[in-house]
Structures are given as C-alpha cells and as structure tokens.
Amino acid sequence: MKFFHLSDLHIGLKLMNRDLGEDQEYILKQIVGAAKEELPDAVVIAGDIYDKAVPPAEAVELFDSFIAELTEALPDTVIMIISGNHDSASRVNCFRSVLAKQNVYMVGLPPRTSQEFIEKVTLKDEYGKVNFYLLPFVKPSMVRRVVLEDERGNSLSYNETVHRLIEREKIAGEERNVLVSHQFYLPVGKSPEDVERMDSEICTVGNIDEVKADILEPFDYAALGHIHKPMKVGDERFRYCGTPLACSVSEAGQEKGILMVDMREKGDCEIKVLPLKPLRRIRVVKGTLKEVLKQACSDYVSVILTDRVDLDIFDMQERIRAAFPFLLEIRRETLRRAEYRQGNVQDVNMSPYELCCSFLKDLDETEKELLRDVINTVQEAD
C-alpha cells in the first residue's frame, strides 16, 4: 500500500502581502506530476487546506483544479482530506457523503455525539487491510458531548480530549492502521520549547493545545499536520511532513517535499521524501548594502543591512528593489543599548502574550490566566 502524505497547503496565503497564488499552483502541479509517476494508492492531506476559514474565490478555484487534476490522472486513487485549525470545519465537511462515493473523503468535523466515531476508510492490498482513521482538528468544546467532562464539570484539556477520542475506537491490532490528524503532538519526554515552531504557525499561549504522542502507539503510521517544519514525533512512523511551500521567512532554507509511505506487511513501512522545488525560494540576505547588492536574484528575499553608517534611504530602497524584484522586507541591524532593548515593548521576538504583559505590567496570576484565554480565543478565531 503506497500513499502520499501532505499537509498544510495554506492555499490563499499571502507572504508579507505577496500573493503566493502562482507559487502554490506551481507546487500543486509538481505534486500531481509526482502522483502520475509514483501511482500511489491514496493521497492523504492532513489539514489546513486553506489559509483562512473563508478563503478567497481564487484559492477555492486553485484547490478545485488540483483535486480535479489528481482524480483525472489517477481515477482509482483514494483521496483523504481532513480540516485543520485554519479551515472552516463545516465548509470542508460539506458534501462529505456524496464525495465519498467518488473516492474523495473530505472530513471536516470530528464525532460530535456518543453514537459517532472517527471516520475510518479501509483499503486492501495483497497483505490485507489498511485502516485510515481521519481525525480533523479538534478543540475540546467541539466534542464535549462525546468525551464528556472532568469530575468538576469542566471541559477536558486538548490532551485528554484527543486521548479519549482515539481510545474509544476499536483498533484492530493485527491489521495495519494509519492515523491522519491535525494537532500539536508532543514527543514523550519532550517539552513544547524543544519543538521548533515556524512564524507562520498559530501557537497557543501556554501551549494548551499540546497532545502527548503516546496515543499514537497503536498506529503503524501517523500522517500529521499542523507543524510547518518536517519532523518526526519520537518515532520514524509518526511524522509531520511540513508545508509543501515555505510560508514564512523563518522557513528559509528548508527542503520541502512529499512523504511517500510504502506499507507492506505489518511492521514493514518504508518512508521516502520526494523533493519539491519552489518557483521562488525564500532567502535571507545579510550584509552591508554593497555586499547585499552583489547577491541580486529573483527569489523572495528578506534583506538585513549591517551598515553602521547612515544611508540615503530613498536611494537605498530603490537600489535594493531593483536587485530583488520579489523583495519582502528591508531591516537594519543596529546596535542598541541593553536598557533600551529591555524597555522596548515592540521587540519582534516577543509573543503577543509577552507584549501584553510588558504593556500592562504587575498582573497577578488570575489576570494572567484571563489574558491567556483571551489571546488563545482570538488566535483560534483568526
């Protein structure tokens, strides 16, 4: 059983107000080309189809074209898609039963009643069954009627919620099982600070959305989405494939690709990366104005100037924009006094929560907890 693992397409994304439509179309056509060459039995997309819950018409048209090209090229290939935290769950869930008859499983909503279970799609090959469990992005409030509450009547944590959802499934240990999920899974023994997060990701204050990865153990493979950098979750079998296209300057230099999973008999799973080459890379160019201008290119570029003298700002910008037609930003690396830096609440390295705490000052623990809840709610609704 061979399948592609993709996630976090973020169609409709703008990179510092640069429209990435052309770049995303270029990458999606590469994915279709790879599918024609490798002939996978299934294509799995683990959430965040779009960058916004209400995507622009152009983004919807691009995704429609992508799926149409896939199904036309590989009519027998099963396509499985779940919603992520950037998607509208109800929109992704639309026409779910109709599309399933066409071998396209778009699952936007998790089980919401005690009679419902995680959507399971079963495929067969010469070694027997492969069960794909399709679990879209879950917030505790979405499945409160399924997993119930704690002994005090409060909603469960993300960790407890996902554990209960998966534990109520009757997973056949003798068969091969794949989980498709869009959550922040934390390797056993690791803290959230050990996981490198990208600027393009939504990170909750206090990492309240973390889920312990021990719940993945019953599965032969976990096709995960949400983290934008390719990474393993404590085991070769549990993977974030990352974004197919860099979504922020923090992803400059990352090699992107499709994870191709080849499952043979139980316990025999080979994972291969099929590289994806972007139309334009994201680069960080650092140096003096003279040094920077020598590196002219047609990539997306973030320029960091290290000159210690004043520059003619108008002439500087004009010359840099001529050298880099897809310029993202120009920043100056300047020496600042330590006391000024400490007092500067506009520090770009501070999280929204830290910025608010710096501005409000002297918050007690109750007020800080309220502030965390407000920021997390705003981020989830964005």
Side-chain angles (χ1 to χ4, degrees):
M1 179 72 59
K2 184 163 63 175
F3 62 90
F4 280 6
H5 171 196
L6 297 158
S7 77
D8 297 272
L9 306 183
H10 286 278
I11 300 175
L13 173 76
K14 289 185 182 295
L15 178 61
M16 294 188 181
N17 293 320
R18 286 280 185 182
D19 189 340
L20 295 182
E22 184 183 13
D23 303 79
Q24 291 179 327
E25 181 179 8
Y26 186 85
I27 283 292
L28 294 176
K29 286 189 179 298
Q30 276 192 57
I31 294 170
V32 173
K36 288 179 180 178
E37 184 175 338
E38 298 291 345
L39 303 177
D41 300 291
V43 174
V44 171
I45 302 176
D48 280 355
I49 303 164
Y50 300 113
D51 191 58
K52 299 292 183 184
V54 183
E58 295 81 6
V60 177
E61 290 172 5
L62 180 54
F63 181 64
D64 176 68
S65 175
F66 169 57
I67 297 299
E69 288 182 29
L70 264 182
T71 54
E72 183 178 350
L74 304 171
D76 296 325
T77 294
V78 177
I79 299 174
M80 291 172 267
I81 305 166
I82 61 171
S83 64
N85 58 305
H86 279 253
D87 298 312
S88 165
S90 57
R91 282 185 167 85
V92 173
N93 215 64
C94 193
F95 306 120
R96 176 169 165 175
S97 58
V98 175
L99 290 170
K101 296 176 183 177
Q102 308 300 320
N103 280 340
V104 178
Y105 295 85
M106 289 187 66
V107 181
L109 294 169
R112 291 174 293 168
T113 69
S114 58
Q115 290 76 40
E116 295 177 350
F117 290 85
I118 297 172
E119 177 89 16
K120 183 173 77 170
V121 178
T122 300
L123 306 182
K124 294 182 179 179
D125 63 9
E126 63 267 33
Y127 300 105
K129 294 180 178 179
V130 179
N131 304 307
F132 290 83
Y133 290 84
L134 310 182
L135 179 61
F137 176 69
V138 174
K139 290 190 289 186
S141 59
M142 297 168 65
V143 293
R144 195 167 183 170
R145 294 171 61 189
V146 181
V147 299
L148 304 180
E149 303 162 337
D150 66 14
E151 62 276 6
R152 297 181 180 179
N154 299 318
S155 292
L156 300 176
S157 67
Y158 278 77
N159 180 59
E160 293 167 317
T161 295
V162 174
H163 273 67
R164 288 198 186 184
L165 278 177
I166 294 175
E167 286 167 353
R168 64 197 288 271
E169 299 293 324
K170 296 178 180 179
I171 299 174
E174 71 280 4
E175 297 173 356
R176 292 164 295 166
N177 300 288
V178 176
L179 176 67
V180 183
S181 179
H182 191 97
Q183 303 284 158
F184 176 28
Y185 288 96
L186 193 63
V188 176
K190 297 286 187 178
S191 68
E193 291 71 28
D194 295 326
V195 179
E196 185 182 6
R197 306 295 296 272
M198 301 296 102
D199 293 343
S200 51
E201 299 174 32
I202 294 177
C203 301
T204 59
V205 177
N207 296 294
I208 63 169
D209 60 339
E210 68 177 75
V211 178
K212 301 299 182 186
D214 61 324
I215 195 61
L216 304 177
E217 286 300 328
F219 299 95
D220 298 273
Y221 185 81
L224 306 177
H226 192 45
I227 303 297
H228 288 186
K229 180 181 180 179
M231 62 171 278
K232 302 167 189 174
V233 186
D235 192 294
E236 290 284 337
R237 302 169 296 141
F238 310 143
R239 301 270 193 126
Y240 285 102
C241 60
T243 56
L245 182 72
C247 295
S248 65
V249 174
S250 63
E251 294 166 66
Q254 284 185 17
E255 294 299 322
K256 303 293 189 177
I258 306 163
L259 288 182
M260 183 172 70
V261 183
D262 192 356
M263 301 188 78
R264 294 179 279 272
E265 59 186 352
K266 190 171 178 68
D268 186 1
C269 180
E270 181 182 347
I271 304 163
K272 181 180 179 182
V273 179
L274 305 180
L276 292 170
K277 301 300 180 184
L279 179 63
R280 287 175 279 266
R281 293 185 177 277
I282 295 179
R283 297 178 56 198
V284 177
V285 178
K286 183 176 179 180
T288 63
L289 178 60
K290 185 177 180 180
E291 293 168 339
V292 163
L293 293 176
K294 289 180 180 178
Q295 302 180 58
C297 67
S298 294
D299 289 327
Y300 291 115
V301 173
S302 170
V303 169
I304 303 176
L305 294 174
T306 60
D307 296 86
R308 299 307 183 193
V309 296
D310 290 335
L311 299 170
D312 182 334
I313 188 168
F314 297 107
D315 177 63
M316 173 195 74
Q317 290 188 1
E318 185 177 335
R319 293 171 67 188
I320 291 175
R321 293 184 188 281
F324 304 105
F326 293 93
L327 179 70
L328 297 175
E329 62 177 349
I330 303 171
R331 289 188 285 155
R332 293 292 303 272
E333 183 179 75
T334 57
L335 294 174
R336 295 187 294 175
R337 294 178 182 176
E339 63 270 21
Y340 172 75
R341 183 174 180 83
Q342 291 172 0
N344 182 14
V345 299
Q346 299 300 324
D347 192 324
V348 295
N349 294 318
M350 296 176 73
S351 69
Y353 173 73
E354 291 168 332
L355 282 170
C356 289
C357 287
S358 297
F359 179 75
L360 295 172
K361 302 184 185 303
D362 302 323
L363 295 176
D364 60 32
E365 287 306 312
T366 301
E367 291 169 331
K368 287 182 179 179
E369 186 62 32
L370 178 61
L371 180 59
R372 289 191 190 98
D373 289 342
V374 170
I375 293 174
N376 285 330
T377 301
V378 171
Q379 287 181 323
E380 288 175 352
D382 185 17

